[in-house]
Amino acid sequence: MMQPDDVTGRAQAPGRLRWFDLGLPGTVFVFCAAVIHLSMTFEEVPEIIVGDSMQPRVFPIFLMVVMGLLNIALILQITRNPPKRLELEPKATWFSVVLMVAFYILAEHVDMMLALPAVIFCMCRLWGETRLWVAALTAVITTCAIFFSFDLVLEVRFPRGVLTNIYYG
Amino acid sequence: MVADALISMLSVLSDPYLMGLILITTVGGVVIGALPGLGATTGAALLLPFTLTMDPVPAIAVLTTIYVSATFAGAITAILINTPGTSAAAATCLDGFPLAQRGEAGRALGIAVVASTVGGIFSVIVLSIAAPLLARVAYEFRPPEYFALTVFGLSMLASISEGGAVKNLMGGLFGVWLATIGADASTGVERFMFGNYELYEGLNFIPVLVGLFAISELLVQSTTLKLAMEHIAMKAVQLPSMADYRKIWRTVLRSCGIGTFIGILPAEGATVASMIGYAEAKRWSRTPEEFGKGAVEGIAGAETANNAATGGAMVPTLVLGIPGSGTTAVILVGLMVHGLRPGPYLFTEQLDKVYAIFGTMFVANALFFVLGLFAAKLFARVTLVPRNILWPVVFAFSVLGSYALAQSMLDVYVALIFGVIGYLFRRFGFAVAPVAIGLILGEMVETNLQNSLKMFDGAWWEIGTQPLAALFLVLAVLGIMQPYIVGWFRRRKATVPECD
């Protein structure tokens, strides 16, 4: 019988333990190992400064050791109750992430105030808005409203770019 | 002292600017709570940057009003479209929607409005009395007690409703680790900065919270675009009849106590409170078979408890600096951004501001009662806002809100990264609130552990010899074990045959 996913509510098949179910705890172990490795590279503070307290590396390492122990408990849970099979994310999710990356690149290298309406417009279309003028109007009105409220009321200065250079002079 | 406190609370009523702000924010909070996916936590995280130029009291008033009103408004969508506007309203769906399907949506909303208001006002009264008393006790706390208390706070993550105990604790530890990014507070050694000096003082809380709550929710919503929602039309909200009052008054009183108590426990929040409030309403009901089919006690039990938890959750937040829930974690960040230091000293140094916050919560509870009764039908229409317009707008507010605090593109980057991390967390069954709470408690845990070690010449086991610290550590162990203990009792009860 198909069961709903906790997050998305989409139907899923009940699970049976497969090797890639252990991918999550595996990733956690790699993360813990990486943090411990990085912590070992922190400079050692002279005894006179650190006194009876602990070296800066100790606390992160301690956290990762506890995380590792909890991860073992997670593995036991997974082997006892294999997780339901997750469906691959729909197109809208993948492209939303792509739009976020595109926003960052455009905002960093062109102009944040150009990147924002472009991404809002594309996101409206991607999420199913069929009317071009509605998507365009949403993009322009939202950007203008946010820009002027942040600039005039909150006195936030946005990074300079093609468009903001004209406004700031 | 009491007179000063009352004057500070009443000052809220005499300040037209503050009253206007609370009214606007209550309307905004109800709209935010009524929109599925946007809840009190996301709303508070999105509005936090807008409070930056305000004075501390109006700024915190905005955040607490959003908290109170959005928690109530989750019931609107729970009852009308069977989708809780906030996770705290999930239990309201169980009986609210069946009652609405029977053509009694107005009655269901009326009960939700009255129950929420009673729960909210009760918890503000408890907050006003309990917080100063607890603050007096907290004066005596030294680093070992604070360390043990924060460990207790983290341990309570094991029993929050989303995710499982193990996953919540892992999320909390991940949050604590995030707090170690930047220069070590006592030695100045750089940790996990990768040469980026913008991270010297650590991750800014606002972009992390915006990413975890708002952007991750956007990605979750993107997976459900094809799901259709059934809307139920409503004529008007009806106040409960005398027969309804007779049926629910015991449940309301019980849930007031349950909600406030659960709210006071660190990390627990309105969601857990509403679940327990609902379960207890069913357990004590004379007609438990009606639950799930439109029982008014079910709506009253859940709604009273989730609003009672709002005032309760503010107690550890203000008195100890330990967030009582995901939303109070955002409010705590708001307090810190505005230069208010949560903890017992807040009650001596800035008592007037504390009581103004209490007054704000009181007014907000009264206002959403009026708005709920007379404008719920209007607010119900916001559920019709198309998601393909709403969420791109939320994205715009999220990224610019993240940028606004430090005016740094790094913060935008952090918000986007934590949006994806938050989504992955939720996809794999982890809750994001423990990460936020861990991040906020992280520095407190490490600093108090360092100071305790200095106090005891490096003998860490001496922490356990301090009576209060030992009590908190025992409670922490019980907090971690609690889901397993409760599970064991339930299994045992299920296997014991009933005797006639």
Side-chain angles (χ1 to χ4, degrees), chain A residues 5 7-10 12 24 28 31 35 38-39 42-43 45 49-50 52-57 59-60 63-64 66-67 70-71 73-74 77 86-90 92-93 96-97 99-101 103-104 107-108 112-113 116 119-120 123-130 134-135 138 142 146-147 149-150 153-159, chain B residues 49-53 147 165-167 169-171 173-174 176-177 180 184 186-187 189-192 194 215 217-225 227 386-389 391-393 395-397 399-401 403-405 407 409-410 412-413 416 420 423 426-430 442 445-446 449-451 453-454 456-459 484:
Chain A
D5 171 22
V7 174
T8 65
R10 284 180 292 151
Q12 299 172 327
L24 175 66
V28 175
F31 171 76
V35 170
L38 282 171
S39 303
F42 294 160
E43 59 181 284
V45 181
I49 295 175
V50 80
D52 290 316
S53 187
M54 53 190 178
Q55 289 287 339
R57 70 174 60 149
F59 190 65
L63 289 176
M64 290 306 120
V66 180
M67 180 94 93
L70 286 168
N71 202 28
L74 185 66
Q77 278 187 0
L86 295 176
E87 274 183 23
L88 203 64
E89 271 66 18
T93 310
S96 296
V97 175
L99 281 175
M100 288 178 194
V101 176
F103 170 80
Y104 185 76
E108 186 82 24
M112 191 190 258
M113 288 305 133
L116 202 59
V119 168
I120 295 174
M123 207 176 269
C124 285
R125 298 280 293 160
L126 176 68
W127 282 43
E129 181 53 62
T130 49
V134 172
T138 307
T142 308
I146 290 179
F147 178 76
S149 64
F150 274 74
V153 183
L154 303 177
E155 295 169 358
V156 170
R157 278 185 77 85
F158 291 101
Chain B
F50 287 89
T51 66
L52 293 177
T53 53
F147 168 71
V166 172
K167 286 181 175 178
L169 289 170
M170 288 172 84
L173 282 180
F174 178 66
V176 175
W177 172 75
T180 65
D184 176 35
S186 65
T187 59
V189 169
E190 294 165 16
R191 297 188 294 188
F192 312 110
F194 304 105
I215 297 178
E217 182 62 40
L218 178 148
L219 292 173
V220 169
Q221 292 289 325
S222 74
T223 63
T224 61
L225 289 175
L227 290 181
R387 284 188 290 177
N388 47 22
I389 303 290
W391 285 97
V393 173
F395 173 74
F397 274 92
V399 288
L400 292 191
Y403 174 81
L405 178 68
Q407 302 186 21
M409 280 304 286
L410 178 75
V412 176
Y413 192 42
L416 295 176
V420 175
Y423 174 74
R426 296 163 82 163
R427 196 79 182 98
F428 289 100
F430 290 78
V445 178
E446 189 179 9
L449 177 59
Q450 285 170 340
N451 292 340
L453 290 174
K454 282 175 191 163
F456 299 124
D457 301 328
Y484 302 101

Side-chain angles (χ1 to χ4, degrees), chain B residues 407-489:
Chain B
Q407 302 186 21
S408 156
M409 280 304 286
L410 178 75
D411 284 346
V412 176
Y413 192 42
V414 167
L416 295 176
I417 287 177
F418 276 92
V420 175
I421 290 175
Y423 174 74
L424 291 174
F425 260 65
R426 296 163 82 163
R427 196 79 182 98
F428 289 100
F430 290 78
V432 289
V435 182
I437 292 172
L439 172 66
I440 289 166
L441 291 181
E443 195 189 340
M444 221 169 145
V445 178
E446 189 179 9
T447 309
N448 284 303
L449 177 59
Q450 285 170 340
N451 292 340
S452 304
L453 290 174
K454 282 175 191 163
M455 263 180 77
F456 299 124
D457 301 328
W460 56 267
W461 57 90
E462 291 274 346
I463 295 171
T465 62
Q466 308 303 303
L468 260 179
L471 173 70
F472 287 132
L473 290 174
V474 169
L475 287 174
V477 173
L478 289 176
I480 292 169
M481 299 306 294
Q482 183 249 339
Y484 302 101
I485 296 169
V486 171
W488 183 79
F489 272 110

Side-chain angles (χ1 to χ4, degrees), chain B residues 97-124:
Chain B
F97 188 68
L99 199 60
Q101 279 180 316
R102 289 191 336 220
E104 294 183 271
R107 182 179 168 217
L109 264 174
I111 288 167
V113 169
V114 171
S116 299
T117 308
V118 174
I121 288 177
F122 175 85
S123 73
V124 176

